[in-house]
Amino acid sequence: MPGSIRERVMSRGEARSRGAMRVGAALIALLALFAVAGPWFSPYSYRALDWRHLAVPPGLIASHWLGTDALGRDLYVRTLYGLRLSLVIGGLASAVSVLIGVSWGMLAGWAGGRIDAWMMRVVDVLYALPYLFIVLILTAMLGRGNLTVLLLAIGAVGWLTLARVVRAQTLSLKRREFIEAARATGLSPRQILWRHVLPNLAGTLVAYSTLLVPQMIVYESFLSFLGLGVEPPRASLGSLINAGARQMLTAPWLLLVPAVVLVVLLLAFNLLGDGLRDVFDPSGR
Amino acid sequence: MLLLGSVVTGRPRRFGPRSRYTRAMLGYALRRMAGIVPVLFILLTVSFFVIRLAPGGPFAGGRALSARTHAELEQRYGLDRPLGAQYVAYLRALVHGDLGPSYSIRGESVGALIAAGLPVSATLGAAALGLALLAGLPLGLGAALRRDGLLDRGLAAFAALTLALPSFVTGPLLALGFGLWLRWLPVAGWQAGAARYLILPAVTLALPLAVAIARLMRASLLEVLNASYIRTARARGLGRARVLWRHALRPALVPVVSYLGPAATYLVTGSLVVETVFELPGTGRYLVQGAIDRDYPLVMGMVLVYGTLTLVANLGADLLHAWLDPRARHEPR
């Protein structure tokens, strides 16, 4: 294949991915704005029961713009609250994952040798386990509806891939001259890792943690869907979808509205994350 | 023919009980199988203690029991004994194939519950995996052969969309569309042997898997087709189809095969959602309900079944990988 054609294809693909990235970022900003400010525009709260308007379809009736559920709770407000929760949990759980994954990966990569082999073996074993099952058991037992448990549990699932990526990068950074120079000036390993290795991982970290957020959102929704996440009257996108699926014959909007919001949210994060990965880590898949 | 071929090329025989090939494979397989047992043991041990350390007990919530009944129940199931003794007793029964009685489902043993539910879950999983391979492999192949063609771009767009569609969204949406609105297929439920009831759940479960397989197949085939030995084969005058089937396909399948391990893990967790959405009488519901009810033996049984399943599937994928790619046999990671 002649080089020129290949270059043109690459650059076109690159341009497309930059565009997709912008769309993703814009969508996230828009959704976040809505999640924060949207509920102010409705006269209802997420837990208020409107007895005169039970299971109303979307429309202009009594400013229930997206309809109500069987208890008369406003779906517009509840969906935005669910979105808020998804964003917060997605962000915080990703932070937990990043913290574990980066520490584990950097330590393994820096230590090398037997410690590295052992630490990566742990990651391999955890990879092969249906890890989500363990999380599921843990959340079921340690407290349904307890947000801290939920956060830690799903955060603990996401770190494996990141640990591998960070370890590989640390291994290759370790052999570079500037690290040797840092060592020669007498810096301690902690200082080197903190000031010289970590900043060089920043790009990769940004890309992978952006990709982690949608994963964490899915895990949270998954747990809420199974009835292990947030408890009523609070709502998350997952629990709303679950509730909607039970009444889809009589009130399909209860399923469709939160489902569409979740899909758009995930799509936006994936677009942004994929784009960022292409920029910072061209080798990654 | 095979024999003759190996004489001509001077390579050792590749098959037969005594060939180096078979011996290397066998050794690798045994090594890996032995590795499963300790992992499973650790998984069981950790689960055993973790679920008992969690607050609450099997007879604490729900119905109000008199202190005496409570004590009697605990004694009957051996819950009043020290944890260590309970652990030893559990392992001893397990070695004899006894998974214990269920605490929450009256008069049922965990073994019987699993025996009743597992065929349903296994059918669902097998159907989904088959469907995913059947759809994913040709799609990926087609996309790679016509890069940037209609199929290729369609696949890329579709893949981006399915990534954003978890199965607890696609499941209800498919049920709504094909079950309630079009009325082509049943919305939920299960009748033994009736394929109509299997279609929507299997499609829901297979969808992300099919897309992942298609993408992997596309990427790896593109890479292989760029390799110099493919150019050599073409230069020797072999036709495109022959090069594809004889030289490119096998190495291109390697990444797909190694993905089958994670795919099994996905199938196991995914089946949970799908069984809930479509109300299938599989084993999935026991895990969540068992954990909520503190039904220790049931949860342990589920951990054992699904743990074994994923570990064996991962092993199977690695063995297939080793068979396709000899380099993988020597490096036990």
Side-chain angles (χ1 to χ4, degrees):
Chain A
M1 194 185 275
S4 59
I5 290 178
R6 227 164 134 183
E7 266 168 31
R8 209 193 46 168
V9 171
M10 292 274 280
S11 65
R12 198 209 282 157
E14 228 167 48
R16 206 187 293 150
S17 102
R18 291 286 158 92
M21 208 166 99
R22 290 211 185 96
V23 172
L27 273 176
I28 293 170
L30 198 70
L31 283 171
L33 191 71
F34 243 88
V36 173
W40 297 339
F41 296 103
S42 171
Y44 300 99
S45 91
Y46 70 98
R47 56 194 306 171
L49 313 175
D50 185 350
W51 298 112
R52 280 168 306 172
H53 301 98
L54 302 181
V56 179
L60 292 171
I61 302 166
S63 34
H64 288 301
W65 299 308
L66 293 177
T68 59
D69 65 9
L71 297 173
R73 291 178 295 196
D74 187 72
L75 188 60
Y76 167 79
V77 176
R78 285 180 71 73
T79 306
L80 288 181
Y81 265 94
L83 179 63
R84 233 183 233 190
L85 198 79
S86 286
L87 283 170
V88 169
I89 288 192
L92 289 179
S94 303
V96 173
S97 282
V98 169
L99 208 66
I100 306 176
V102 170
S103 328
W104 195 270
M106 277 210 310
L107 284 180
W110 185 259
R114 198 175 291 176
I115 299 176
D116 175 34
W118 180 80
M119 285 175 88
M120 283 302 116
R121 182 81 197 128
V122 170
V123 172
D124 286 345
V125 168
L126 288 179
Y127 245 117
L129 290 180
Y131 202 48
L132 209 51
F133 263 56
I134 302 166
V135 168
L136 227 144
I137 295 172
L138 277 182
T139 34
M141 299 221 141
L142 290 181
R144 278 188 285 161
N146 183 337
L147 281 187
T148 320
V149 171
L150 192 72
L151 259 177
L152 290 177
I154 55 180
V157 190
W159 62 276
L160 297 173
T161 310
L162 201 64
R164 277 189 180 169
V165 173
V166 167
R167 175 216 170 230
Q169 292 225 348
T170 309
L171 269 181
S172 74
L173 280 174
K174 199 168 73 170
R175 297 194 197 94
R176 300 267 291 274
E177 286 91 352
F178 71 93
I179 298 290
E180 206 175 318
R183 224 188 303 209
T185 57
L187 290 186
S188 70
R190 208 182 67 185
Q191 282 170 314
I192 297 177
L193 282 176
W194 191 247
R195 285 212 228 129
H196 297 274
V197 176
L198 196 59
N200 279 291
L201 293 172
T204 321
L205 284 186
V206 168
Y208 277 88
S209 19
T210 311
L211 282 172
L212 262 178
V213 176
Q215 262 184 52
M216 297 294 115
I217 291 175
V218 168
Y219 287 151
E220 184 277 320
S221 302
F222 170 81
L223 288 174
S224 292
F225 179 84
L226 291 174
L228 300 174
V230 298
E231 304 230 289
R234 276 199 281 191
S236 100
L237 290 176
S239 64
L240 287 174
I241 290 170
N242 185 12
R246 285 162 204 263
Q247 303 161 51
M248 60 187 180
L249 181 59
T250 48
W253 62 90
L254 289 179
L255 166 65
L256 292 174
V257 170
V260 167
V261 171
L262 179 66
V263 169
V264 173
L265 179 66
L266 295 178
L267 201 61
F269 268 108
N270 282 323
L271 286 177
L272 179 64
D274 276 336
L276 285 173
R277 189 175 55 189
D278 288 347
V279 172
F280 287 118
D281 185 16
S283 61
R285 270 180 291 182
Chain B
M1 200 55 215
L2 192 71
L3 237 175
L4 190 69
S6 62
V7 169
V8 171
T9 55
R11 281 189 306 186
R13 280 177 62 190
R14 302 188 55 192
F15 296 102
R18 279 169 186 283
S19 68
R20 269 174 67 196
Y21 187 84
T22 311
R23 277 220 307 262
M25 260 318 279
L26 211 64
Y28 176 76
L30 287 177
R31 265 204 316 276
R32 289 298 315 273
M33 265 184 239
I36 280 192
V37 179
V39 174
L40 208 55
F41 181 74
I42 293 172
L43 179 64
L44 273 180
T45 306
V46 170
S47 318
F48 186 92
F49 290 105
V50 162
I51 60 180
R52 275 167 180 76
L53 287 179
F59 309 108
R63 303 152 295 162
L65 297 171
S66 71
R68 204 170 137 211
T69 333
H70 190 250
E72 261 173 25
L73 276 170
E74 293 227 311
Q75 197 184 6
R76 170 142 51 112
Y77 292 116
L79 289 169
D80 52 342
R81 294 160 63 198
L83 264 186
Q86 287 184 42
Y87 177 62
V88 172
Y90 181 80
L91 282 188
R92 187 167 290 156
L94 185 65
V95 173
H96 292 103
D98 180 12
L99 290 170
S102 163
Y103 295 164
S104 59
I105 303 169
R106 254 173 198 290
E108 293 278 3
S109 78
V110 172
L113 287 173
I114 290 175
L118 201 56
V120 177
S121 299
T123 311
L124 174 66
L129 183 61
L131 212 61
L133 286 171
L134 224 57
L137 290 179
L139 269 177
L141 195 85
L145 289 183
R146 280 184 175 261
R147 196 179 175 181
D148 280 328
L150 199 63
L151 186 64
D152 194 18
R153 273 185 284 169
L155 180 66
F158 191 62
L161 189 65
T162 39
L163 252 176
L165 278 169
S167 43
F168 59 84
V169 173
T170 36
L173 287 184
L174 285 177
L176 183 66
F178 292 97
L180 287 177
W181 287 347
L182 292 174
R183 298 191 175 279
W184 288 350
L185 292 162
V187 178
W190 179 264
Q191 265 164 19
R196 283 159 42 80
Y197 288 87
L198 187 60
I199 296 175
L200 283 184
V203 168
T204 306
L205 195 52
L207 199 66
L209 207 55
V211 170
I213 289 175
R215 284 179 88 187
L216 264 177
M217 185 68 199
R218 171 190 177 272
S220 77
L221 191 59
L222 276 179
E223 202 179 316
V224 168
L225 286 178
N226 262 331
S228 42
Y229 70 90
I230 294 295
R231 203 180 313 154
T232 310
R234 290 282 290 143
R236 277 195 320 185
L238 296 183
R240 270 182 72 103
R242 198 174 155 78
V243 169
L244 186 65
W245 288 114
R246 295 267 314 171
H247 298 273
L249 217 50
R250 179 161 155 158
L253 276 175
V254 169
V256 178
V257 163
S258 17
Y259 176 67
L260 289 181
T265 315
Y266 158 77
L267 279 178
V268 162
T269 27
S271 70
L272 252 164
V273 169
V274 171
E275 283 178 19
T276 311
V277 171
F278 293 99
E279 289 165 18
L280 303 183
T283 42
R285 65 209 148 118
Y286 295 139
L287 187 82
V288 178
Q289 204 47 51
I292 292 174
D293 291 342
R294 303 287 190 274
D295 191 339
Y296 301 146
L298 191 57
V299 174
M300 289 298 290
M302 298 307 300
V303 169
L304 183 70
V305 167
Y306 282 117
T308 314
L309 221 64
T310 33
L311 288 173
V312 168
N314 272 284
L315 171 71
D318 283 356
L319 287 183
L320 261 175
H321 183 183
W323 178 64
L324 281 170
D325 184 357
R327 283 169 303 181
R329 284 197 285 274
H330 303 293
E331 194 63 37
R333 270 201 296 176

